Amino acid sequence: MSMRRTCLPRTRTALVALFTASPLLLAGCGGDGDAAPPASTRQADAFPVDVRGAGDSRLEIEERPERIVALFDVNVAVLDELDVDDRIVALDDFAAVPDGSDADLPRIGGDGFRFDAEAVVALEPDLVVTSTGTEAVLDEQLRAAGVPVLSLEYPDSVEATLDHVRTLGAATGTRPAAEELAAGLEEQVDAVAEVADDAEPVRTYYETDASVAGKPFTVGEGSLVHELLELAGATPVPAAGSGPAPQVSYEAIVDAAPQVILLANAVGHVGPNFLGAIEPGSVAKRPGFATVPAVADDRVHAVDADELLVPGPRIADGLAQLVGLLHPQLAREAEAAAGT
Amino acid sequence: MTGSRAAAIAVAVAAVLAAFAAALTLGTRDVPFAAALGAIVAATLGQEPSDPATSAIVVDLRLPRAAGMFAVGALLAAAGTLLQLVLATPLADPYVLGASGGAGVGALLALWAGTSTLVAPAAFAGALAATALTLSVGRSIGGGPVHLLLSGLCVSALTGAAMGMLLLGSTATSRGAAPALAWLLGGVVPSSWPAIVTAWGALGLLVLAALLLGVRVDALTLGDADAAALGVPAGRVLGLVVALAALATAAAVSLAGLVGFVGALVPIAVRALVPSGARSAVPIAALVGGAALLAIDTCARTLLAPLELPTGVVAACIGAPAVLFLVRGEAVTRARI
């Protein structure tokens, strides 16, 4: 499936209607990062706009940005979908080049979390889109040089993913496309979740990291993958109470007797910068794991977490993959639902 | 032996049994002691377990961990006791002659090279190599306890620097720094039975050596002149004890990384509470050290289950105040440790 999802036909009437309705639409939506226009907004003018970034910070964007520096795949992928490609002037070292951009876009850092602030300033951008984490290494220098920086929280839920799309839409003057994208994603996610609604919940252990032997990490409440697992008809085990990325023990896993094990850290399914990838076959050899139902029934699967289980335009595809792995009999239906 | 020593040994053995019982029964799934024993017996006899998951937890996870942790604690405490005696200072511990630094360099090198199976042998070899260096340098500058300690200080500084560089470099490797840091903080990695049996073998060897050499070791604490007058070759005994302690320490750290406290403080507590010569102190320290580390490890893995705290960290947090409480005041001076 291509990343360019089929959109509603863009007739003039639809555009005008959406522009006129957008302040009302957005005022009705809640959540972080949502552009909340002041009460006296001039309708149909997207700018100037006041956008909320990470941690309740606000950024006033006066004119439509034409020279955007975009960092991190989570942001670039959305900007790609919003057709902002031709306005992107630089990326970080790792982001995939958007389809509509020049293949030789300058890269301004990211390896080892080192960024080239001077190179960014030299490009004279009118907007830099980044994620939280770069404050000390980049944002502060840029703001000191007068460059507008929009720092966004990494979305940790389906709701946050949709708000992330809407915020980027507001910031780049593509609110109609963003609203359409967000609504479409929501519809797809709901459709796939409905497919899994009636299925028997499956006890699932989802592993994100096993680089320290005996102390693997899983996903917990407050992480996007945890929410997707529950939507896909899984009961994530072991139930570890501490945060979105808790560490668990082999004993806790054996005690929880998961029926399916999903590995987000499998060799061949992770990016080149992933630390400590494991061979799926090594899971069965862990002490005590011979009694785990998932091992006995050969239901240990690798997932392409970096591609599919990330907040972004492919989130419904990721959810469909999960449903297919957990309830094989529903795989086709789920895929079809994700494609609507 | 005297009544107090017999009582001390009885208490130590009871502590060991209690620690094992706790280690086998407590955890994410609390298993009654009878069921745990039953699972172990069934597994030894090759029978099908009545509850496969419980059997897996007790026999495949808890038992090797308990056996390994006991051996590590016993080895470190016994080695620490011997070193405190021959180096004539309560400030000695198994790591003071460079063993920990050498093991660290070996382990971090193995991790940096990307292999996890070579970590234990590399740590073992590193510990022995560093101690050999300390011994040879120490002998060349005088050969007495102070010279050895000085030399150990230098070797520790050098290996510490090497470990720092390796840690920095490990952030660029395919595994990152997490495994290296986990090893340095101490705690058992799921170990194989051959490694655990080797550690128990080293423990047996050390205790046997203490029983055979104990009298000579005690003579060394009187000072070189008096030891010579008694016909004890101080230099040779010192060298032999250091080598044995290094072997024991190498076996311990190759199993569980750098676990502190046990080798330094358990010997002090034992010698303050049960004043005696090496022939009693070493076995008692081994029992107490093993029980203590086993109990600490059980705490580390159950306090915030399923999160497992680094055993070395918990050992320092619990053990240090406990020992200070035990040996305050008169006990230390009375024991002349």
Side-chain angles (χ1 to χ4, degrees):
Chain A
M1 281 176 243
S2 86
M3 285 179 75
R4 294 195 171 280
R5 207 140 295 298
T6 345
C7 306
L8 293 171
R10 294 191 186 195
T11 64
R12 259 198 95 194
T13 345
L15 261 181
V16 169
L18 278 166
F19 261 118
T20 324
S22 63
L24 300 170
L25 275 173
L26 289 163
C29 302
D32 285 344
D34 192 25
S40 59
T41 184
R42 287 162 288 159
Q43 294 191 359
D45 268 12
F47 291 93
V49 71
D50 195 22
V51 176
R52 191 187 307 158
D56 282 339
S57 64
R58 304 197 86 95
L59 180 70
E60 167 130 9
I61 303 175
E62 301 192 348
E63 287 179 337
R64 189 178 115 120
E66 297 294 334
R67 298 181 59 77
I68 302 174
V69 173
L71 306 180
F72 304 113
D73 264 319
V74 65
N75 300 314
V76 175
V78 175
L79 292 175
D80 188 0
E81 283 292 302
L82 296 178
D83 262 337
V84 173
D85 311 11
D86 49 346
R87 293 191 265 154
I88 296 178
V89 298
L91 300 168
D92 67 294
D93 286 343
F94 305 116
V97 181
D99 297 333
S101 298
D102 183 3
D104 289 327
L105 273 185
R107 305 276 181 164
I108 52 86
D111 195 7
F113 233 62
R114 284 184 297 270
F115 296 91
D116 193 349
E118 285 180 19
V120 175
V121 174
L123 288 165
E124 294 178 357
D126 43 23
L127 180 65
V128 173
V129 177
T130 181
S131 295
T132 55
T134 57
E135 286 83 0
V137 294
L138 187 64
D139 300 8
E140 286 170 4
Q141 289 103 300
L142 294 180
R143 288 188 179 122
V147 174
V149 177
L150 178 61
S151 177
L152 298 170
E153 301 257 3
Y154 190 83
D156 59 3
S157 66
V158 174
E159 185 67 38
T161 304
L162 303 176
D163 288 335
H164 181 248
V165 169
R166 295 185 182 112
T167 304
L168 284 173
T172 55
T174 53
R175 269 194 209 153
E179 197 45 56
E180 203 181 302
L181 178 60
L185 285 178
E186 192 170 6
E187 206 181 298
Q188 287 163 1
V189 168
D190 285 344
V192 178
E194 207 178 302
V195 168
D197 249 347
D198 290 326
E200 187 85 18
V202 175
R203 287 191 309 279
T204 308
Y205 167 61
Y206 184 97
E207 183 164 285
T208 55
D209 183 306
S211 51
V212 177
K215 302 192 183 193
F217 284 82
T218 184
V219 289
E221 300 262 0
S223 79
L224 175 67
V225 175
H226 193 265
E227 186 185 351
L228 291 178
L229 283 171
E230 290 186 321
L231 286 173
T235 307
V237 292
S242 49
Q247 182 237 307
V248 291
S249 62
Y250 285 174
E251 187 174 309
I253 299 168
V254 173
D255 181 48
Q259 296 158 283
V260 175
I261 292 181
L262 298 177
L263 302 173
N265 55 345
V267 170
H269 294 263
V270 289
N273 303 297
F274 188 89
L275 300 174
I278 64 168
E279 291 288 345
S282 69
V283 173
K285 299 186 191 143
R286 294 180 183 172
F289 272 55
T291 61
V292 170
V295 169
D297 299 336
D298 202 20
R299 294 188 73 183
V300 178
H301 306 291
V303 291
D304 294 305
D306 279 351
E307 250 188 74
L308 296 177
L309 297 175
V310 289
R314 302 201 67 185
I315 195 173
D317 294 333
L319 186 58
Q321 190 194 52
L322 285 180
V323 173
L325 288 171
L326 296 171
H327 316 279
Q329 72 279 14
L330 299 173
R332 279 238 181 113
E333 222 182 305
E335 260 194 53
T340 50
Chain B
M1 70 184 72
T2 66
S4 76
R5 260 175 250 170
I9 291 182
V11 168
V13 169
V16 170
L17 292 174
F20 266 101
L24 292 174
T25 59
L26 297 177
T28 308
R29 177 186 290 198
D30 285 339
V31 179
F33 187 59
L37 274 186
I40 296 174
V41 167
T44 330
L45 295 176
Q47 291 169 1
E48 278 297 310
S50 53
D51 182 352
T54 301
S55 172
I57 288 177
V58 171
V59 176
D60 294 330
L61 288 169
R62 291 184 191 168
L63 185 60
R65 184 168 179 152
M69 268 297 154
F70 177 85
V72 169
L75 281 166
L76 291 174
T81 309
L82 279 170
L83 286 174
Q84 283 180 6
L85 285 168
V86 299
L87 295 175
T89 166
L91 301 178
D93 71 25
Y95 300 153
V96 80
L97 296 181
S100 63
V105 170
L108 292 189
L109 268 175
L111 286 171
W112 180 72
T115 147
S116 59
T117 43
L118 287 182
V119 170
F124 191 90
L128 290 180
T131 312
L133 182 64
T134 304
L135 258 181
S136 87
V137 171
R139 281 202 168 138
S140 71
I141 60 172
V146 174
H147 306 105
L148 285 185
L149 285 168
L150 267 174
S151 166
L153 212 60
C154 289
V155 171
S156 294
L158 285 171
T159 51
M163 281 198 282
M165 293 302 297
L166 283 169
L167 255 183
L168 277 177
S170 68
T171 56
T173 63
S174 65
R175 287 158 158 260
L181 285 170
W183 193 91
L184 289 174
L185 288 175
V188 73
V189 171
S191 329
S192 60
W193 278 109
I196 296 171
V197 168
T198 309
W200 277 81
L203 180 62
L205 207 71
L206 195 67
V207 171
L208 190 66
L211 292 172
L212 292 174
L213 293 172
V215 174
R216 293 185 184 80
V217 168
D218 291 337
L220 279 175
T221 62
L222 300 171
D224 273 8
D226 290 344
L230 288 170
V232 174
R236 292 213 331 240
V237 174
L238 181 58
L240 187 58
V241 168
V242 166
L244 285 168
L247 206 71
T249 309
V253 299
S254 68
L255 206 55
L258 295 184
V259 176
F261 155 69
V262 186
L265 298 178
V266 167
I268 292 180
V270 166
R271 292 179 60 218
L273 295 172
V274 189
S276 58
R279 285 165 57 175
S280 301
V282 172
I284 295 177
L287 288 171
V288 173
L293 191 59
L294 184 53
I296 286 170
D297 183 61
T298 304
C299 282
R301 73 175 169 82
T302 55
L303 273 177
L304 297 176
L307 171 70
E308 292 193 354
L309 301 166
T311 307
V313 171
V314 178
C317 291
I318 296 182
V323 170
L324 281 177
F325 176 77
L326 278 174
V327 298
R328 62 201 188 287
E330 282 294 312
V332 176
T333 35
R334 236 198 346 254
R336 303 171 88 229
I337 57 174

Short mmCIF file of all heavy atoms in Angstrom, two decimals, chain A residues 236-286:
data_model
loop_
_atom_site.label_atom_id
_atom_site.label_comp_id
_atom_site.label_asym_id
_atom_site.label_seq_id
_atom_site.Cartn_x
_atom_site.Cartn_y
_atom_site.Cartn_z
N PRO A 236 -2.18 -7.16 26.90
CA PRO A 236 -0.72 -7.11 27.03
C PRO A 236 -0.28 -7.67 28.38
O PRO A 236 -0.81 -7.28 29.41
CB PRO A 236 -0.41 -5.61 26.92
CG PRO A 236 -1.62 -4.99 26.33
CD PRO A 236 -2.77 -5.83 26.77
N VAL A 237 0.66 -8.61 28.35
CA VAL A 237 1.19 -9.20 29.58
C VAL A 237 2.71 -9.16 29.52
O VAL A 237 3.27 -9.14 28.42
CB VAL A 237 0.72 -10.66 29.76
CG1 VAL A 237 -0.76 -10.70 30.02
CG2 VAL A 237 1.10 -11.53 28.59
N PRO A 238 3.43 -9.20 30.63
CA PRO A 238 2.91 -9.11 32.00
C PRO A 238 2.38 -7.72 32.30
O PRO A 238 2.87 -6.75 31.73
CB PRO A 238 4.13 -9.40 32.87
CG PRO A 238 5.28 -9.58 31.97
CD PRO A 238 4.86 -9.35 30.58
N ALA A 239 1.43 -7.60 33.18
CA ALA A 239 0.91 -6.30 33.52
C ALA A 239 1.91 -5.60 34.42
O ALA A 239 1.98 -5.85 35.60
CB ALA A 239 -0.44 -6.46 34.24
N ALA A 240 2.70 -4.73 33.81
CA ALA A 240 3.73 -4.03 34.59
C ALA A 240 3.27 -2.62 34.83
O ALA A 240 2.98 -1.90 33.89
CB ALA A 240 5.05 -4.04 33.83
N GLY A 241 3.21 -2.21 36.08
CA GLY A 241 2.56 -0.94 36.38
C GLY A 241 3.34 0.33 36.17
O GLY A 241 2.81 1.39 36.42
N SER A 242 4.60 0.26 35.74
CA SER A 242 5.34 1.53 35.83
C SER A 242 5.63 2.18 34.48
O SER A 242 6.72 2.05 33.97
CB SER A 242 6.63 1.32 36.60
OG SER A 242 7.30 0.19 36.07
N GLY A 243 4.66 2.88 33.93
CA GLY A 243 4.95 3.75 32.82
C GLY A 243 4.89 3.08 31.46
O GLY A 243 4.57 1.90 31.34
N PRO A 244 5.21 3.85 30.40
CA PRO A 244 5.03 3.35 29.05
C PRO A 244 6.09 2.37 28.57
O PRO A 244 5.90 1.71 27.56
CB PRO A 244 5.08 4.63 28.19
CG PRO A 244 5.80 5.63 29.02
CD PRO A 244 5.60 5.28 30.44
N ALA A 245 7.21 2.25 29.26
CA ALA A 245 8.27 1.33 28.80
C ALA A 245 8.87 0.60 29.99
O ALA A 245 10.03 0.79 30.33
CB ALA A 245 9.36 2.11 28.06
N PRO A 246 8.09 -0.27 30.63
CA PRO A 246 8.58 -0.93 31.83
C PRO A 246 9.53 -2.08 31.53
O PRO A 246 9.45 -2.71 30.48
CB PRO A 246 7.30 -1.46 32.49
CG PRO A 246 6.34 -1.63 31.38
CD PRO A 246 6.70 -0.64 30.32
N GLN A 247 10.41 -2.36 32.49
CA GLN A 247 11.28 -3.53 32.39
C GLN A 247 10.62 -4.68 33.12
O GLN A 247 10.06 -4.49 34.19
CB GLN A 247 12.64 -3.22 33.01
CG GLN A 247 13.61 -4.39 32.91
CD GLN A 247 14.14 -4.83 34.26
OE1 GLN A 247 14.64 -4.03 35.04
NE2 GLN A 247 14.00 -6.10 34.56
N VAL A 248 10.66 -5.85 32.51
CA VAL A 248 10.05 -7.02 33.13
C VAL A 248 11.11 -8.11 33.28
O VAL A 248 12.24 -7.97 32.84
CB VAL A 248 8.86 -7.55 32.29
CG1 VAL A 248 7.71 -6.58 32.32
CG2 VAL A 248 9.29 -7.83 30.86
N SER A 249 10.72 -9.22 33.93
CA SER A 249 11.66 -10.31 34.15
C SER A 249 11.17 -11.56 33.43
O SER A 249 9.99 -11.69 33.10
CB SER A 249 11.76 -10.60 35.65
OG SER A 249 10.49 -11.02 36.14
N TYR A 250 12.09 -12.48 33.18
CA TYR A 250 11.71 -13.75 32.55
C TYR A 250 10.63 -14.44 33.38
O TYR A 250 9.69 -15.03 32.85
CB TYR A 250 12.93 -14.67 32.44
CG TYR A 250 13.91 -14.30 31.36
CD1 TYR A 250 15.12 -14.98 31.24
CD2 TYR A 250 13.66 -13.28 30.46
CE1 TYR A 250 16.04 -14.65 30.25
CE2 TYR A 250 14.57 -12.95 29.47
CZ TYR A 250 15.76 -13.64 29.38
OH TYR A 250 16.67 -13.31 28.41
N GLU A 251 10.79 -14.35 34.70
CA GLU A 251 9.83 -15.03 35.56
C GLU A 251 8.42 -14.46 35.37
O GLU A 251 7.45 -15.20 35.29
CB GLU A 251 10.27 -14.87 37.02
CG GLU A 251 9.41 -15.68 37.98
CD GLU A 251 9.93 -15.62 39.39
OE1 GLU A 251 11.12 -15.88 39.58
OE2 GLU A 251 9.13 -15.33 40.28
N ALA A 252 8.34 -13.15 35.28
CA ALA A 252 7.03 -12.53 35.09
C ALA A 252 6.42 -12.95 33.77
O ALA A 252 5.21 -13.16 33.66
CB ALA A 252 7.16 -11.00 35.16
N ILE A 253 7.24 -13.09 32.74
CA ILE A 253 6.73 -13.50 31.44
C ILE A 253 6.23 -14.94 31.49
O ILE A 253 5.14 -15.27 31.02
CB ILE A 253 7.82 -13.36 30.35
CG1 ILE A 253 8.26 -11.89 30.24
CG2 ILE A 253 7.32 -13.86 29.01
CD1 ILE A 253 9.51 -11.70 29.42
N VAL A 254 7.04 -15.83 32.08
CA VAL A 254 6.63 -17.24 32.17
C VAL A 254 5.37 -17.36 33.01
O VAL A 254 4.45 -18.11 32.68
CB VAL A 254 7.77 -18.09 32.78
CG1 VAL A 254 7.30 -19.51 33.04
CG2 VAL A 254 8.98 -18.11 31.88
N ASP A 255 5.28 -16.57 34.07
CA ASP A 255 4.11 -16.61 34.93
C ASP A 255 2.87 -16.17 34.18
O ASP A 255 1.78 -16.70 34.38
CB ASP A 255 4.35 -15.70 36.14
CG ASP A 255 3.19 -15.71 37.11
OD1 ASP A 255 2.71 -16.80 37.46
OD2 ASP A 255 2.75 -14.62 37.51
N ALA A 256 3.01 -15.18 33.30
CA ALA A 256 1.86 -14.64 32.57
C ALA A 256 1.42 -15.54 31.43
O ALA A 256 0.32 -15.37 30.89
CB ALA A 256 2.19 -13.25 32.05
N ALA A 257 2.27 -16.48 31.03
CA ALA A 257 1.95 -17.45 29.98
C ALA A 257 1.32 -16.82 28.74
O ALA A 257 0.17 -17.10 28.39
CB ALA A 257 1.02 -18.53 30.54
N PRO A 258 2.03 -15.94 28.05
CA PRO A 258 1.46 -15.30 26.86
C PRO A 258 1.20 -16.31 25.74
O PRO A 258 1.95 -17.26 25.57
CB PRO A 258 2.52 -14.29 26.43
CG PRO A 258 3.79 -14.78 27.02
CD PRO A 258 3.42 -15.50 28.28
N GLN A 259 0.11 -16.08 24.99
CA GLN A 259 -0.23 -16.97 23.88
C GLN A 259 0.49 -16.55 22.60
O GLN A 259 0.65 -17.36 21.69
CB GLN A 259 -1.74 -16.94 23.64
CG GLN A 259 -2.52 -17.50 24.82
CD GLN A 259 -3.96 -16.99 24.80
OE1 GLN A 259 -4.24 -15.86 25.16
NE2 GLN A 259 -4.87 -17.83 24.37
N VAL A 260 0.86 -15.28 22.54
CA VAL A 260 1.59 -14.78 21.38
C VAL A 260 2.73 -13.90 21.89
O VAL A 260 2.56 -13.18 22.87
CB VAL A 260 0.69 -13.94 20.46
CG1 VAL A 260 1.49 -13.32 19.31
CG2 VAL A 260 -0.44 -14.79 19.90
N ILE A 261 3.89 -14.00 21.24
CA ILE A 261 5.00 -13.10 21.57
C ILE A 261 5.31 -12.30 20.32
O ILE A 261 5.52 -12.87 19.24
CB ILE A 261 6.24 -13.88 22.04
CG1 ILE A 261 5.96 -14.54 23.40
CG2 ILE A 261 7.45 -12.95 22.16
CD1 ILE A 261 7.14 -15.31 23.96
N LEU A 262 5.33 -10.99 20.46
CA LEU A 262 5.66 -10.11 19.34
C LEU A 262 6.99 -9.43 19.63
O LEU A 262 7.19 -8.88 20.71
CB LEU A 262 4.56 -9.05 19.15
CG LEU A 262 3.18 -9.60 18.82
CD1 LEU A 262 2.17 -8.47 18.74
CD2 LEU A 262 3.21 -10.38 17.51
N LEU A 263 7.88 -9.46 18.67
CA LEU A 263 9.21 -8.88 18.86
C LEU A 263 9.37 -7.65 17.99
O LEU A 263 9.30 -7.73 16.76
CB LEU A 263 10.28 -9.91 18.49
CG LEU A 263 10.25 -11.23 19.25
CD1 LEU A 263 11.25 -12.20 18.66
CD2 LEU A 263 10.55 -11.00 20.73
N ALA A 264 9.60 -6.51 18.65
CA ALA A 264 9.88 -5.29 17.89
C ALA A 264 11.38 -5.10 17.77
O ALA A 264 11.84 -4.06 17.28
CB ALA A 264 9.26 -4.09 18.60
N ASN A 265 12.15 -6.09 18.21
CA ASN A 265 13.61 -5.95 18.24
C ASN A 265 14.27 -7.10 17.47
O ASN A 265 15.36 -7.53 17.82
CB ASN A 265 14.10 -5.95 19.70
CG ASN A 265 13.63 -7.19 20.46
OD1 ASN A 265 12.73 -7.90 20.01
ND2 ASN A 265 14.23 -7.45 21.60
N ALA A 266 13.60 -7.59 16.45
CA ALA A 266 14.12 -8.76 15.74
C ALA A 266 15.07 -8.36 14.62
O ALA A 266 14.80 -7.40 13.89
CB ALA A 266 12.97 -9.60 15.18
N VAL A 267 16.14 -9.14 14.48
CA VAL A 267 17.09 -8.92 13.40
C VAL A 267 16.35 -8.96 12.07
O VAL A 267 15.53 -9.84 11.83
CB VAL A 267 18.17 -10.02 13.43
CG1 VAL A 267 19.02 -9.96 12.18
CG2 VAL A 267 19.03 -9.86 14.66
N GLY A 268 16.63 -7.99 11.23
CA GLY A 268 15.99 -7.96 9.92
C GLY A 268 14.70 -7.15 9.90
O GLY A 268 14.15 -6.87 8.84
N HIS A 269 14.22 -6.78 11.07
CA HIS A 269 12.98 -6.00 11.10
C HIS A 269 13.16 -4.67 11.79
O HIS A 269 12.19 -4.01 12.15
CB HIS A 269 11.89 -6.80 11.83
CG HIS A 269 11.49 -8.06 11.12
ND1 HIS A 269 10.39 -8.13 10.29
CD2 HIS A 269 12.05 -9.28 11.09
CE1 HIS A 269 10.31 -9.36 9.80
NE2 HIS A 269 11.30 -10.07 10.27
N VAL A 270 14.42 -4.30 12.01
CA VAL A 270 14.68 -3.04 12.69
C VAL A 270 15.61 -2.20 11.83
O VAL A 270 16.27 -2.71 10.94
CB VAL A 270 15.32 -3.25 14.08
CG1 VAL A 270 14.30 -3.83 15.04
CG2 VAL A 270 16.55 -4.13 13.97
N GLY A 271 15.64 -0.90 12.11
CA GLY A 271 16.47 -0.01 11.35
C GLY A 271 17.95 -0.23 11.63
O GLY A 271 18.31 -0.95 12.55
N PRO A 272 18.81 0.39 10.82
CA PRO A 272 20.26 0.16 10.96
C PRO A 272 20.83 0.70 12.26
O PRO A 272 21.91 0.30 12.67
CB PRO A 272 20.86 0.89 9.75
CG PRO A 272 19.81 1.87 9.35
CD PRO A 272 18.49 1.31 9.71
N ASN A 273 20.11 1.59 12.92
CA ASN A 273 20.64 2.18 14.14
C ASN A 273 20.09 1.55 15.40
O ASN A 273 20.32 2.03 16.49
CB ASN A 273 20.33 3.68 14.16
CG ASN A 273 20.88 4.38 12.94
OD1 ASN A 273 22.07 4.40 12.73
ND2 ASN A 273 19.99 4.89 12.11
N PHE A 274 19.36 0.45 15.25
CA PHE A 274 18.78 -0.20 16.42
C PHE A 274 19.87 -0.94 17.18
O PHE A 274 20.70 -1.62 16.60
CB PHE A 274 17.69 -1.19 15.97
CG PHE A 274 16.92 -1.76 17.10
CD1 PHE A 274 15.78 -1.11 17.55
CD2 PHE A 274 17.31 -2.93 17.73
CE1 PHE A 274 15.05 -1.63 18.61
CE2 PHE A 274 16.59 -3.44 18.80
CZ PHE A 274 15.46 -2.80 19.23
N LEU A 275 19.86 -0.81 18.51
CA LEU A 275 20.88 -1.43 19.34
C LEU A 275 20.37 -2.75 19.92
O LEU A 275 19.34 -2.79 20.55
CB LEU A 275 21.27 -0.49 20.49
CG LEU A 275 21.83 0.86 20.07
CD1 LEU A 275 22.04 1.75 21.27
CD2 LEU A 275 23.12 0.70 19.31
N GLY A 276 21.13 -3.82 19.73
CA GLY A 276 20.80 -5.06 20.42
C GLY A 276 19.68 -5.87 19.80
O GLY A 276 18.84 -6.43 20.51
N ALA A 277 19.61 -5.99 18.49
CA ALA A 277 18.57 -6.81 17.86
C ALA A 277 18.82 -8.28 18.18
O ALA A 277 19.95 -8.71 18.34
CB ALA A 277 18.55 -6.58 16.36
N ILE A 278 17.74 -9.06 18.27
CA ILE A 278 17.87 -10.48 18.61
C ILE A 278 17.30 -11.36 17.50
O ILE A 278 16.52 -10.91 16.67
CB ILE A 278 17.14 -10.83 19.92
CG1 ILE A 278 15.63 -10.59 19.77
CG2 ILE A 278 17.68 -10.02 21.07
CD1 ILE A 278 14.83 -11.16 20.91
N GLU A 279 17.72 -12.60 17.50
CA GLU A 279 17.15 -13.58 16.58
C GLU A 279 15.87 -14.12 17.21
O GLU A 279 15.88 -14.54 18.36
CB GLU A 279 18.13 -14.75 16.40
CG GLU A 279 19.39 -14.38 15.64
CD GLU A 279 19.11 -14.16 14.17
OE1 GLU A 279 18.02 -14.57 13.70
OE2 GLU A 279 19.96 -13.58 13.48
N PRO A 280 14.77 -14.13 16.46
CA PRO A 280 13.51 -14.64 17.04
C PRO A 280 13.67 -16.04 17.62
O PRO A 280 13.04 -16.38 18.62
CB PRO A 280 12.55 -14.62 15.85
CG PRO A 280 13.08 -13.54 14.97
CD PRO A 280 14.57 -13.57 15.11
N GLY A 281 14.53 -16.86 17.01
CA GLY A 281 14.70 -18.22 17.52
C GLY A 281 15.31 -18.27 18.91
O GLY A 281 15.17 -19.28 19.62
N SER A 282 15.96 -17.19 19.33
CA SER A 282 16.62 -17.22 20.64
C SER A 282 15.62 -17.13 21.78
O SER A 282 15.94 -17.45 22.93
CB SER A 282 17.62 -16.06 20.74
OG SER A 282 16.93 -14.83 20.79
N VAL A 283 14.41 -16.69 21.49
CA VAL A 283 13.42 -16.54 22.56
C VAL A 283 13.07 -17.89 23.16
O VAL A 283 12.95 -18.05 24.38
CB VAL A 283 12.14 -15.84 22.02
CG1 VAL A 283 11.05 -15.83 23.06
CG2 VAL A 283 12.47 -14.43 21.59
N ALA A 284 12.94 -18.91 22.33
CA ALA A 284 12.57 -20.23 22.82
C ALA A 284 13.64 -20.82 23.74
O ALA A 284 13.36 -21.68 24.57
CB ALA A 284 12.32 -21.17 21.65
N LYS A 285 14.88 -20.33 23.59
CA LYS A 285 15.97 -20.90 24.38
C LYS A 285 16.13 -20.22 25.73
O LYS A 285 16.97 -20.63 26.53
CB LYS A 285 17.28 -20.77 23.60
CG LYS A 285 17.25 -21.52 22.29
CD LYS A 285 18.62 -21.50 21.62
CE LYS A 285 18.50 -22.02 20.19
NZ LYS A 285 19.37 -21.32 19.26
N ARG A 286 15.36 -19.19 26.00
CA ARG A 286 15.52 -18.51 27.30
C ARG A 286 15.08 -19.46 28.40
O ARG A 286 14.12 -20.21 28.24
CB ARG A 286 14.67 -17.24 27.33
CG ARG A 286 15.14 -16.19 26.34
CD ARG A 286 14.27 -14.95 26.40
NE ARG A 286 14.68 -13.97 25.40
CZ ARG A 286 14.01 -12.85 25.13
NH1 ARG A 286 12.91 -12.58 25.80
NH2 ARG A 286 14.46 -12.02 24.22
#
